Amino acid sequence: MSAVIAPDKAPSRANVMPDTPGWARWANDHRKWLFAAPAMAFVAALIIFPLGWTIYLSLTDSSGSVRAESEFIGFRNYIDVLTDTDRFWPAVGRTAAFTGVALLFEVVLGMAIALLLWRPFKGEKWVRVAILLPLVATPVAVGMMWRLIFDPNIGLANQALGWIGIGPQPWLAGQHTALPTTIFIDIWQWTPMVVLILLAGLTSLSEEPQEAAMIDGASPWQRFRHVTLPLLMPTVIVAVLLRGIDALKTFDILYATKGRGGGSFNEVETLNVYAYGLSFDYNEYGLSSTVLILFFLIIIGSMWALTSRRKKEARR
Amino acid sequence: MTLSACGGGGDSGASDTVRVTLVNHVWTENIRKVIPQFEQETGLKVEVTQLGEDQLSDQYNVKLNAGSRDIDVMMYRPLQEGRLFAENGYLADLTDKAEGSADFDFADFQETPVGATSHEDKLVGVPIITEQQVLYYRKDLLEKSGFTAPPATLDELKAQATKIQADNPGVAGFVARTGKAAAVTQFSSFLYSFGGDFVDASGKAAVNTPAAKQAYAFYGGLLRENGPANVSTDMSWSEAMAIFTQGQAAFYPEANSLYKNATDPAKSKVSETVGFAPMPAGPAGSKPYNIPSWGLAVNESSENQDNAWKFIEWAAGKAQTLEQQKAGVPGARTSVWENPEGISTYPADMADAITVSLANGVGHDRPVVERVAQAREIVGQPIVDAITGGDAAASAETANEAFQKFLDDEAR
């Protein structure tokens, strides 16, 4: 730590201005910390305290009421949760499936759309606005809208299928179709964000490598594969990082479409939905905190994996 | 009485503003219209927060847990969260206040609802809305298929639903709640009518008895074979009611307190042709539930408890209860049920159905435990398994095991 601060401290202002009072000198020497203090207090109050409290709760058998007496039980909750193949591990699986599939489609689709929008064309502005529309809607409203569209009996989706001669599908109502349907809704809503990020990355790329490749006679695919994509990689990783964390903790779309517990068979119950149910339906605050801490670790872990890859990319 | 209110009683933090949290319900709509009268009479100001059922429940979980003082009066579900709240000391003891008020006439309340709002011999809430299960049906469809009367037994219900479905393509014979937890309350009347209950006389889990297995298979079978196409397993009353009021189903078992949704032409396409019948009889007779669905309580952490009680005294008083019942919300006061005016506005067949329910009704419509939400999910699993064509009997065995474990766990 001191090694980092040392260069800053070395040309101490005290030598430059010998007449300044002691406190001012101290403040001057520590100004980095002084300026950061309000922000650090803010972080402590709003992030570290809740996190610490959650960790504490996860080590107790707190249930019924947070104010009720609870017993410190060490890691028993963690053992219970990690050996729970009924709700916890399926929820982990669904969280991974939801995030993985949604992310894959969003990045591939997002890349395709961004490439289409890259070069100027007529009516470009209108197309961009239309593509960004899903992004500005509230996820809960989006969930409710799709729930109506996907209603198996009176919804628009099945009527539309009827026009082209396909039988009605259960969509959100089906035990095995619900999760894919919610993934579709997530893709619908969040692909525009990926488009936005990638488009920003594309427009900031310099033209020379493209021109050089063109002169060398590279095909459009070759240019994309060997010039555009490598140059764009840092931006792609930013998009994957932002969207990935967001998708991992999706709650509103799932809650608005399938309600508490993710449906009668817990068919869309991800970690977030499970933790919510544990605290708000079962009043199991200890267990819920445990799930949230594990979830937190999963998010930190995936973030770390992605950022270390990003650093590797940057070094190349 | 009128002026003493301004003094704020003996509470140290008393305020002239009573903060009341209410759920989206016909009762709430009705009471909000007359709150200005109460404010004028007492000089108090009433601040209403109105929320949906799930949001209300979440809000209580957060605020009561934190010992929040900004709720004085709370509308709550005695059978759903009453025991949990009372165990945690969230609800103020209203016994003395209720018994001490001559105008309030506490003895006028029906015994079963009061039982549900009491905890360890203390009154912790006042029941304001009661519910009984009745059968909603379509008179025109019955007539078209040649039936002269609604089904008196569950076998007849199945037969009529099947015939009507065959006669009217696109119309389901039967619709009901299908969500794992949501369906439990409506299913309970079927369970009782087959002779079962969630817990037996000795307090043991009883959802694997032959009666319970039959009830699960029957309820699930009706929905699978006679329900709407592609039936979802997430339906609560609003989805099921929508299918019924869109004219897409012949029979629908539901709480009577929701009947205005079916008879109001603005909300229902079948308002002209809807009829009401008592719960059809099973092997054990017709045994619908008869429960208090909502009550009013005072937040133990509130510093404004005296004024909070004044609001309850008025809102659950004789005059308001009569007005509410005339507007379609069944109350818990004997005097109002005995008063011909009290049921004058009900459809005649609805009033008859309620009379049957009041006579044979069972006082709970879900397991009577502390963690109700969890218990409902356990005992509701065989319902959805039966709907989706699974083995209801096997599922009932699994559920029973889990439910017994749950009961043991809660008894500790």
Side-chain angles (χ1 to χ4, degrees):
Chain A
M1 200 69 194
S2 61
V4 182
I5 304 171
D8 189 48
K9 255 186 170 176
S12 178
R13 309 306 186 274
N15 302 329
V16 187
M17 294 174 286
D19 298 336
T20 37
W23 64 266
R25 215 178 309 150
W26 182 88
N28 202 13
D29 283 349
H30 297 89
R31 66 189 188 287
K32 188 156 82 185
W33 298 107
L34 276 180
F35 282 125
M40 275 155 58
F42 185 80
V43 168
L46 286 156
I47 298 176
I48 297 174
F49 171 73
L51 189 62
W53 180 247
T54 310
I55 292 176
Y56 165 73
L57 276 180
S58 75
L59 300 172
T60 68
D61 65 351
S62 173
S63 65
S65 165
V66 180
R67 282 187 288 160
E69 271 179 41
S70 57
E71 211 180 305
F72 188 83
I73 54 167
F75 287 94
R76 205 196 301 160
N77 280 335
Y78 287 86
I79 296 167
D80 285 353
V81 168
L82 290 171
T83 53
D84 171 17
T85 50
D86 225 27
R87 299 283 285 270
F88 179 75
W89 285 109
V92 172
R94 280 183 216 108
T95 311
F98 185 92
T99 309
V101 177
L103 202 56
L104 181 73
F105 275 91
E106 281 160 20
V107 170
V108 171
L109 265 178
M111 178 67 87
I113 298 172
L115 287 171
L116 283 175
L117 295 181
W118 186 13
R119 304 294 175 203
F121 59 92
K122 215 177 161 199
E124 182 190 352
K125 272 186 192 160
W126 294 106
V127 174
R128 285 192 187 187
V129 168
I131 282 182
L132 292 183
L133 272 181
L135 200 56
V136 293
T138 318
V140 172
V142 167
M144 282 157 73
M145 177 189 84
W146 282 105
R147 186 176 166 168
L148 284 176
I149 294 176
F150 282 133
D151 184 284
N153 292 297
I154 50 174
L156 203 63
N158 276 345
Q159 283 180 25
L161 284 185
W163 295 330
I164 51 171
I166 300 177
Q169 301 298 316
W171 304 113
L172 289 164
Q175 199 178 330
H176 303 291
T177 52
L179 190 63
T181 310
T182 53
I183 293 175
F184 165 81
I185 298 173
D186 194 78
I187 295 170
W188 178 85
Q189 175 156 40
W190 293 110
T191 303
M193 194 179 96
V194 180
V195 173
L196 207 64
I197 298 171
L198 294 182
L199 203 53
L202 281 173
T203 42
S204 70
L205 294 184
S206 70
E207 291 287 325
E208 287 86 11
Q210 296 283 346
E211 284 164 10
M214 232 184 296
I215 291 168
D216 287 346
S219 70
W221 169 252
Q222 282 173 326
R223 263 182 288 144
F224 170 72
R225 176 70 190 81
H226 298 289
V227 180
T228 316
L229 193 59
L231 286 173
L232 197 62
M233 215 50 201
T235 318
V236 172
I237 290 178
V238 168
V240 168
L241 200 66
L242 287 175
R243 196 47 222 132
I245 295 169
D246 242 19
L248 266 177
K249 58 192 180 66
T250 301
F251 176 77
D252 16 28
I253 287 179
L254 303 176
Y255 185 76
T257 49
K258 293 293 285 180
R260 303 173 100 94
S264 283
F265 293 94
N266 309 116
E267 51 267 46
V268 305
E269 186 176 70
T270 58
L271 279 176
N272 234 353
V273 176
Y274 181 44
Y276 172 86
L278 277 176
S279 39
F280 285 96
D281 283 345
Y282 298 174
N283 301 87
E284 293 276 7
Y285 306 109
L287 278 179
S288 169
S289 303
T290 308
V291 171
L292 285 171
I293 293 293
L294 290 170
F295 188 26
F296 183 70
L297 293 175
I298 292 176
I299 294 184
I300 298 271
S302 13
M303 246 167 81
W304 177 79
L306 277 169
T307 40
S308 64
R309 168 143 175 79
R310 185 182 169 197
K311 277 183 198 134
K312 235 183 276 164
E313 287 290 337
R315 269 201 300 272
R316 274 219 308 229
Chain B
M1 154 86 199
T2 321
L3 280 176
S4 68
C6 302
D11 292 337
S12 55
S15 142
D16 286 346
T17 303
V18 183
R19 282 157 305 187
V20 180
T21 305
L22 305 174
V23 78
N24 292 336
H25 194 285
V26 191
W27 185 91
T28 303
E29 305 303 329
N30 294 338
I31 208 81
R32 288 192 80 154
K33 282 183 214 144
V34 288
I35 280 181
Q37 287 175 20
F38 171 75
E39 292 181 320
Q40 218 162 26
E41 268 173 41
T42 57
L44 295 168
K45 208 180 142 346
V46 178
E47 230 174 68
V48 176
T49 309
Q50 192 175 333
L51 298 162
E53 213 166 306
D54 280 352
Q55 285 69 34
L56 183 87
S57 178
D58 289 353
Q59 173 110 243
Y60 287 154
N61 257 325
V62 173
K63 290 201 164 176
L64 301 178
N65 246 320
S68 177
R69 298 187 175 126
D70 62 3
I71 297 176
D72 298 321
V73 177
M74 45 197 273
M75 187 164 173
Y76 79 114
R77 295 172 290 181
L79 287 167
Q80 183 75 16
E81 51 235 346
R83 201 183 257 215
L84 178 77
F85 287 178
E87 289 279 344
N88 288 330
Y90 296 162
L91 308 178
D93 182 0
L94 301 176
T95 319
D96 295 341
K97 289 187 166 88
E99 284 170 358
S101 165
D103 286 350
F104 192 60
D105 188 10
F106 182 55
D108 185 29
F109 281 88
Q110 294 166 0
E111 217 171 295
T112 322
V114 169
T117 57
S118 302
H119 183 70
E120 290 169 354
D121 297 331
K122 279 184 265 178
L123 186 74
V124 291
V126 175
I128 48 172
I129 304 165
T130 64
E131 275 178 5
Q132 294 84 24
Q133 172 109 312
V134 295
L135 185 67
Y136 293 49
Y137 70 95
R138 288 272 302 281
K139 291 177 185 163
D140 55 332
L141 292 179
L142 255 71
E143 204 174 313
K144 196 176 151 201
S145 292
F147 298 111
T148 49
T153 65
L154 290 174
D155 289 340
E156 280 176 39
L157 171 65
K158 172 81 183 166
Q160 293 195 4
T162 308
K163 174 118 194 343
I164 291 173
Q165 183 159 313
D167 294 349
N168 303 276
V171 174
F174 179 83
V175 69
R177 302 186 189 187
T178 59
K180 180 163 60 174
V184 168
T185 47
Q186 267 45 51
F187 164 75
S188 72
S189 297
F190 287 79
L191 179 63
Y192 308 149
S193 299
F194 269 97
D197 202 334
F198 299 108
V199 172
D200 67 15
S202 62
K204 291 259 179 263
V207 290
N208 67 342
T209 58
K213 284 178 183 167
Q214 283 175 333
Y216 281 124
F218 182 82
Y219 188 89
L222 263 179
L223 277 159
R224 194 177 64 248
E225 287 154 22
N226 304 100
N230 274 314
V231 64
S232 99
T233 49
D234 295 326
M235 291 200 291
S236 182
W237 74 266
S238 49
E239 291 88 7
M241 180 69 86
I243 290 177
F244 183 77
T245 53
Q246 287 287 314
Q248 297 190 343
F251 294 105
Y252 173 38
E254 188 51 81
N256 55 347
S257 60
L258 297 170
Y259 86 91
K260 287 256 158 159
N261 288 287
T263 56
D264 180 354
K267 291 179 184 168
S268 167
K269 282 189 186 167
V270 297
S271 59
E272 294 292 315
T273 57
V274 60
F276 302 95
M279 173 74 199
S286 164
K287 285 194 163 175
Y289 63 75
N290 169 30
I291 52 115
S293 50
W294 290 95
L296 291 176
V298 174
N299 175 12
E300 175 68 18
S301 299
S302 158
E303 292 176 329
N304 204 15
Q305 295 195 6
D306 285 351
N307 287 334
W309 170 252
K310 285 196 180 93
F311 179 81
I312 295 181
E313 199 177 22
W314 168 77
K318 275 185 186 166
Q320 284 309 322
T321 306
L322 180 61
E323 288 308 312
Q324 288 280 1
Q325 195 152 315
K326 275 159 69 181
V329 184
R333 281 183 175 273
T334 315
S335 64
V336 174
W337 282 106
E338 282 168 355
N339 185 344
E341 211 189 326
I343 48 169
S344 59
T345 57
Y346 285 88
D349 53 353
M350 167 68 92
D352 292 344
I354 293 176
T355 318
V356 175
S357 304
L358 287 178
N360 313 331
V362 177
H364 57 274
D365 63 349
R366 62 202 86 186
V368 186
V369 292
E370 197 178 318
R371 286 173 290 158
V372 179
Q374 206 169 347
R376 279 175 82 155
E377 286 188 11
I378 297 172
V379 302
Q381 190 63 52
I383 302 177
V384 290
D385 286 338
I387 294 171
T388 50
D391 183 348
S395 177
E397 288 293 347
T398 317
N400 198 67
E401 206 174 303
F403 190 39
Q404 185 58 49
K405 194 166 162 285
F406 170 90
L407 291 173
D408 293 342
D409 195 39
E410 204 167 90
R412 270 195 287 134

